[in-house]
Amino acid sequence: MKHSQPKFKLLQYFSLTSLIAFIVTITFLGLFYRYQSLTYLLTLGEENNVALTQSFSNSLWLKFDDFLTNTKSLSVAELRRHPQTALLEKAVHRQMQGLSVVKVNIYDLTGKAVFSTDKTQVGEDKSKFARFITAKSGQVVTRLDHRHSFDAISGTVNNVHIISSYIPIYSQGATREIEGVFELYSDVTDLEERIEANQRTIILVTTLVFALLYLVLFAIVKTASKTIHSQNRALLKSRAQYKKQAQQEAIAAERSQATAKIIDRVRRFQDLKTIFQETTQELREVLQCDRLIIYQFNPDWSGQVVAESVGSGWISLIVEQKKHEVVGSSHLYTDRCLLGDWSQGDKGDIVEPDQFIKETQGGKYTLGQKFTAVDDIYSQDFPDCYLKSLEKYQAKAYLIVPIFQEKKLWGLLGAYQNNRKRVWQDQEIDLMMLIASQLAVALQHAEYVNQLKLQKRDLEITVKELKLAQQQVIQQEKLAALGQLVAGVAHEINTPLGAIQASASDNSKALIAAISELPKLSEYLNDSEKDTFFKLLDLAILSKPFYSSRERRPLKRDLTSQLKEYQIDNPRRNADLLIDIGVHGEIDLYLSLLKHPQVNWILDLTYNIACLMSNNHTVITSVEKAAKVVFALKNYARFDHSGQKKFTDITTGLETVLEIYHNQLKHKIEVLRHYHELPNIWCYPDELIQVWTNIIHNGIQAMSEGGTLTIEAFAANNGIKVEISDSGSGIPPNIQERMFEPFFTTKSSGQGSGLGLHISGKIVDKHQGKIAVVSEPGHTRFSVWLPDGQ
């Protein structure tokens, strides 16, 4: 047994995936915002420091231009005591007052710090410092740092964010050469804290938005999960039902095959004993029951088991009745609880005196009851004596069906389950009734030995089946358009049915007349005349003469003249019969029969036998015609629920629709087909039939006075194109613009819903195809293109 696949945990996977996605997204947004803000802050700080340096250079550096030159050879101590150092420090303090600058360093081109607001850094060597080297080459270098402690102009500050910039100092002369490097430190702690606050706000807002989004999505996914699980349960249920149905169909097919085998044997064998034995054996195997019997009533309504098939380990009723025990016929009037009295009573069996069968001439079955099905003998309120009889023969459940010979109850067909109770299914009851009816046929065969009546019975069954098929087709109305076709379809089927009925009736008459006269053949004709008779009969059978009145008149005149010439009685009557038989030329070959005293008997017998073959050919042709119409209707009404495309031929659906509308087309509309060499394509064939139906039906309605319907199909643009044209009145331009709209129709009430072309357009869209129409008075063409791919 295969284990079912584990359920996909949609909610769990969605929750986990969403949580991870939200965390990653929020983290990314926060980091991205911080990165962008810090980048902007760094750029802004650099621009600010450069601007401050430029301002400082413009306002102060002219006074200190020679400071870098004069201090090259001074020591650190001398630099700190140098008068210009003090002046420069005051100028810097004054220049930077109120700004975010917290520290200023000045370096000469050798990298020595010649000035710093932090005097401890005066004299430091930055010659190998990368940022100094970069600034010395003419570029500005800026960096953002966090300092736990920093010596600023105003004193030591803690926990600050500092932007430091190395900026080249240019001379004020024409050459604009680099004289030194400025290092400015700006305090951006407030801006940094603002960025962090904004970052937290963004993260919070984003988290709230995502949380709300998550709740909405969770509700949607939860609903979807419930729907999926519900659909999955429905799918599993559908699969189980399909499996059960498949099993039932397999059993039905097996039973149908066995039934056909049983029926075939019933028809082939002439010996009743062989038929009964073969039938009970086959039927017991099909029903898988423990015992199957055929019981026959005597004229006095006593009876006996005439055939039995019993499983291994169970006693035989035939053996027991031969021992003269219980089921023997002599006990039927002394014991009212006999196993043989199956047909008594209203509730079940054996609850009335034995005389009940005789008095009612067959009991409840004669009164119309078709079967008795007992699933459990202990639930039927049977008399104790009857239960004891059943227990003696181990029966726990049984199914009884009457066998009638014509209208008289001949006997019973019984199936028994001995090892357990059993619920008899409708199919099993139908099968028993079918076999009982076939046994009745076998009885008639044995009595009459008439194989020709079997043919008549088969024809009658065929007529009933065709009529039933016609009624079922009319009643189903699976498609809205089918209701408009019922009259035409009924006519298409009734025509062959009428021919079958007429032929069957003629066959019966001809058969009765022929059979009753065959024994006289040897009495009336000698060997030579018999030989001539059979030649005439061969001619009658092989020829299928049918002449109009105009064609028949000269033939009759010629034959009448010949018959009169040979002095044959009733020349006009005999001429008519000869024409019907197929003789319409020289009659010399048949003169021995035509001059025979029993000429009327000979010609009548020949005509009756020829009619049998002619009528049989008419029946076969009519059945083929009706089968063709029914097949087209089955294709038309069928609908595929699998939802899967099929690899099929487009023209099959077109021909199905044309067959359905044949009655409306055949009288006044000419159909032209131009099917080029077409590949099969992947499509929904049942749905495309609806497209062809709507277009062809509209074309027929447009040609109320007759016309031409042209269908062309050819390969085009990696697909297939179908063009359906009619020579009707055409479609006005204002209607063409709206004809694919739902519920738009120009037809009167009851003739159209306005959905036909709309649905057709949707079906073509589902195939990813295209539908278009071109119309003018006298010519309307619908074009449908369908792609080739799956």
Side-chain angles (χ1 to χ4, degrees):
M1 180 178 177
K2 293 184 178 180
H3 296 286
S4 60
Q5 294 182 352
K7 292 182 179 179
F8 182 75
K9 300 179 180 178
L10 180 61
L11 283 177
Q12 291 87 333
Y13 288 139
F14 168 75
S15 300
L16 181 60
T17 304
S18 300
L19 182 61
I20 294 173
F22 289 168
I23 292 174
V24 171
T25 303
I26 292 170
T27 302
F28 172 77
L29 287 175
L31 294 176
F32 180 75
Y33 170 77
R34 182 175 180 80
Y35 170 77
Q36 289 291 96
S37 299
L38 292 179
T39 301
Y40 177 73
L41 177 61
L42 193 63
T43 302
L44 187 62
E46 180 179 296
E47 292 175 352
N48 185 50
N49 286 345
V50 170
L52 289 173
T53 302
Q54 186 66 39
S55 174
F56 180 80
S57 176
N58 291 338
S59 61
L60 298 176
W61 196 247
L62 290 175
K63 298 179 181 179
F64 302 98
D65 192 28
D66 57 350
F67 180 74
L68 295 176
T69 305
N70 296 335
T71 57
K72 284 183 179 179
S73 59
L74 298 179
S75 64
V76 174
E78 290 174 339
L79 279 172
R80 291 175 179 172
R81 293 193 302 270
H82 195 281
Q84 279 191 311
T85 298
L87 293 174
L88 184 58
E89 184 176 0
K90 290 180 181 179
V92 169
H93 277 280
R94 187 171 54 254
Q95 186 75 17
M96 302 303 176
Q97 189 174 4
L99 301 177
S100 61
V101 177
V102 293
K103 187 176 181 179
V104 177
N105 292 336
I106 301 175
Y107 302 95
D108 61 17
L109 294 179
T110 63
K112 184 173 70 174
V114 297
F115 173 79
S116 175
T117 53
D118 182 4
K119 294 181 178 180
T120 61
Q121 291 187 352
V122 175
E124 285 187 354
D125 184 10
K126 294 289 182 91
S127 60
K128 300 186 181 300
F129 198 58
R131 289 193 288 167
F132 170 79
I133 295 172
T134 301
K136 181 180 175 182
S137 66
Q139 300 181 39
V140 177
V141 183
T142 303
R143 188 172 73 180
L144 176 65
D145 296 309
H146 175 263
R147 302 289 180 89
H148 294 289
S149 178
F150 185 78
D151 294 327
I153 296 175
S154 59
T156 301
V157 291
N158 298 318
N159 256 342
V160 293
H161 294 276
I162 301 296
I163 291 181
S164 59
S165 299
Y166 283 79
I167 306 167
I169 304 173
Y170 294 91
S171 64
Q172 300 298 316
T175 58
R176 295 288 293 173
E177 295 179 351
I178 296 175
E179 294 182 316
V181 175
F182 259 45
E183 182 182 16
L184 265 68
Y185 291 85
S186 299
D187 184 2
V188 292
T189 302
D190 290 341
L191 293 175
E192 177 74 15
E193 290 177 349
R194 226 175 301 166
I195 289 173
E196 290 179 353
N198 289 340
Q199 182 184 16
R200 287 192 298 270
T201 302
I202 289 173
I203 291 175
L204 178 60
V205 172
T206 305
T207 301
L208 292 175
V209 172
F210 279 171
L212 180 60
L213 178 62
Y214 170 78
L215 292 175
V216 174
L217 291 177
F218 182 83
I220 295 173
V221 172
K222 186 175 181 181
T223 302
S225 178
K226 289 181 178 178
T227 303
I228 291 171
H229 289 162
S230 175
Q231 292 176 346
N232 185 56
R233 288 193 298 271
L235 178 61
L236 292 176
K237 183 178 179 181
S238 176
R239 286 179 178 174
Q241 291 176 345
Y242 175 78
K243 184 177 180 181
K244 183 178 180 182
Q245 182 180 357
Q247 292 174 345
Q248 292 175 346
E249 289 177 353
I251 294 173
E254 181 181 355
R255 289 179 176 175
S256 177
Q257 185 178 3
T259 303
K261 187 176 180 181
I262 293 172
I263 293 174
D264 179 65
R265 290 185 177 181
V266 167
R267 292 180 177 179
R268 283 193 297 111
F269 294 125
Q270 299 299 322
D271 179 53
L272 280 179
K273 183 177 180 181
T274 304
I275 291 174
F276 289 164
Q277 192 58 47
E278 293 285 343
T279 300
T280 53
Q281 182 64 31
E282 290 285 347
L283 188 54
R284 187 180 70 81
E285 292 178 0
V286 172
L287 294 177
Q288 296 182 350
C289 59
D290 297 320
R291 186 192 313 279
L292 199 134
I293 68 166
I294 296 176
Y295 182 85
Q296 181 182 6
F297 289 112
N298 297 323
D300 61 354
W301 295 103
S302 62
Q304 59 280 325
V305 177
V306 296
E308 176 187 37
S309 174
V310 62
S312 177
W314 308 108
I315 63 174
S316 170
L317 294 184
I318 290 181
V319 173
E320 291 297 317
Q321 82 178 0
K322 287 180 180 179
K323 294 179 181 179
H324 217 61
E325 295 182 4
V326 183
V327 295
S329 60
S330 62
H331 287 257
L332 285 173
Y333 294 105
T334 58
D335 186 353
R336 62 181 291 233
C337 288
L338 301 180
L339 196 58
D341 289 339
W342 289 297
S343 67
Q344 299 182 41
D346 296 325
K347 295 183 179 179
D349 293 336
I350 321 304
V351 295
E352 295 289 340
D354 300 331
Q355 287 293 106
F356 179 77
I357 299 177
K358 186 173 183 179
E359 292 172 359
T360 61
Q361 300 293 298
K364 57 186 178 183
Y365 299 117
T366 303
L367 297 177
Q369 184 163 321
K370 296 181 179 180
F371 64 90
T372 298
V374 176
D375 300 335
D376 182 3
I377 64 172
Y378 298 107
S379 64
Q380 298 298 311
D381 195 24
F382 287 150
D384 291 340
C385 56
Y386 183 48
L387 286 176
K388 289 179 181 179
S389 298
L390 292 172
E391 288 170 349
K392 179 178 180 180
Y393 295 103
Q394 302 129 337
K396 298 291 191 300
Y398 61 82
L399 173 61
I400 302 295
V401 175
I403 303 172
F404 284 90
Q405 185 176 21
E406 294 183 350
K407 295 183 179 182
K408 183 179 180 181
L409 182 65
W410 177 90
L412 302 170
L413 178 65
Y416 289 82
Q417 193 70 36
N418 296 345
N419 59 349
R420 57 181 170 82
K421 64 181 180 180
R422 174 170 178 169
V423 178
W424 301 98
Q425 304 298 320
D426 291 341
Q427 301 93 328
E428 296 168 338
I429 296 172
D430 292 341
L431 177 59
M432 286 279 286
M433 293 172 64
L434 175 62
I435 299 304
S437 68
Q438 291 301 315
L439 291 175
V441 172
L443 292 171
Q444 291 179 4
H445 289 180
E447 184 175 351
Y448 301 114
V449 194
N450 190 344
Q451 295 183 355
L452 291 176
K453 286 193 175 182
L454 279 177
Q455 182 182 12
K456 176 186 175 183
R457 180 182 179 82
D458 290 340
L459 291 175
E460 290 173 348
I461 292 174
T462 303
V463 170
K464 290 179 181 178
E465 290 176 349
L466 288 173
K467 287 183 178 180
L468 180 60
Q470 178 190 9
Q471 293 171 358
Q472 291 174 342
V473 168
I474 294 174
Q475 290 173 356
Q476 285 176 0
E477 298 185 6
K478 290 185 177 180
L479 302 174
L482 195 57
Q484 301 177 10
L485 301 173
V486 170
V489 170
H491 175 76
E492 288 295 309
I493 295 180
N494 277 329
T495 299
L497 286 180
I500 291 172
Q501 188 174 20
S503 297
S505 176
D506 291 344
N507 265 0
S508 298
K509 296 175 182 177
L511 185 61
I512 293 170
I515 290 177
S516 62
E517 298 298 327
L518 281 177
K520 298 178 182 179
L521 193 63
S522 297
E523 178 184 347
Y524 290 159
L525 304 180
N526 57 35
D527 291 342
S528 175
E529 290 170 340
K530 286 180 183 178
D531 184 55
T532 304
F533 171 78
F534 285 117
K535 288 180 181 179
L536 178 62
L537 185 60
D538 288 340
L539 175 65
I541 291 174
L542 293 176
S543 65
K544 302 180 180 63
F546 178 78
Y547 304 106
S548 64
S549 299
R550 182 177 181 182
E551 294 170 329
R552 191 180 182 91
R553 280 194 294 270
L555 294 176
K556 185 176 180 180
R557 282 197 302 268
D558 180 60
L559 282 175
T560 302
S561 176
Q562 292 186 59
L563 293 173
K564 287 181 178 179
E565 183 179 347
Y566 288 109
Q567 297 181 350
I568 295 172
D569 295 337
N570 299 321
R572 296 181 63 83
R573 174 186 179 278
N574 290 337
D576 277 330
L577 284 175
L578 287 172
I579 292 172
D580 291 336
I581 290 171
V583 177
H584 49 75
E586 295 295 330
I587 62 174
D588 296 347
L589 181 63
Y590 312 110
L591 281 177
S592 60
L593 299 179
L594 295 173
K595 292 184 177 183
H596 196 281
Q598 299 295 332
V599 60
N600 293 338
W601 174 85
I602 292 171
L603 293 181
D604 287 340
L605 179 59
T606 305
Y607 174 76
N608 286 333
I609 294 176
C611 283
L612 287 175
M613 302 307 295
S614 176
N615 290 338
N616 189 57
H617 179 266
T618 301
V619 168
I620 292 173
T621 304
S622 300
V623 168
E624 290 176 352
K625 173 60 179 175
K628 184 177 181 182
V629 175
V630 172
F631 178 76
L633 282 172
K634 286 173 66 179
N635 283 346
Y636 182 84
R638 183 189 63 204
F639 188 81
D640 182 18
H641 294 276
S642 67
Q644 301 295 324
K645 287 185 177 180
K646 293 184 178 180
F647 194 61
T648 188
D649 176 22
I650 290 296
T651 58
T652 301
L654 289 166
E655 287 301 311
T656 295
V657 177
L658 289 176
E659 184 64 34
I660 293 298
Y661 283 105
H662 175 70
N663 188 58
Q664 299 183 33
L665 294 169
K666 65 183 180 181
H667 295 300
K668 57 184 179 181
I669 297 178
E670 181 184 6
V671 179
L672 301 179
R673 299 174 176 85
H674 302 293
Y675 298 152
H676 300 260
E677 185 174 352
L678 297 173
N680 289 0
I681 64 170
W682 288 98
C683 63
Y684 303 99
D686 296 340
E687 296 186 27
L688 286 178
I689 284 180
Q690 183 67 40
V691 177
W692 313 139
T693 298
N694 291 330
I695 296 175
I696 291 174
H697 181 63
N698 287 343
I700 293 173
Q701 289 185 322
M703 297 183 289
S704 58
E705 302 300 325
T708 301
L709 181 71
T710 305
I711 302 177
E712 185 171 8
F714 53 90
N717 301 327
N718 296 323
I720 288 179
K721 193 169 187 179
V722 178
E723 294 185 346
I724 302 176
S725 307
D726 66 74
S727 58
S729 57
I731 306 172
N734 61 323
I735 294 179
Q736 292 182 38
E737 296 174 357
R738 302 187 58 194
M739 59 193 304
F740 291 101
E741 295 179 8
F743 304 107
F744 176 76
T745 179
T746 58
K747 300 173 184 177
S748 59
S749 177
Q751 291 188 355
S753 62
L755 289 173
L757 289 178
H758 173 70
I759 293 174
S760 299
K762 292 297 183 182
I763 293 173
V764 174
D765 290 343
K766 183 178 180 180
H767 285 79
Q768 297 182 342
K770 297 178 181 178
I771 183 170
V773 61
V774 176
S775 182
E776 60 184 23
H779 180 76
T780 298
R781 183 178 72 249
F782 280 86
S783 300
V784 177
W785 177 82
L786 301 170
D788 192 14
Q790 184 176 8

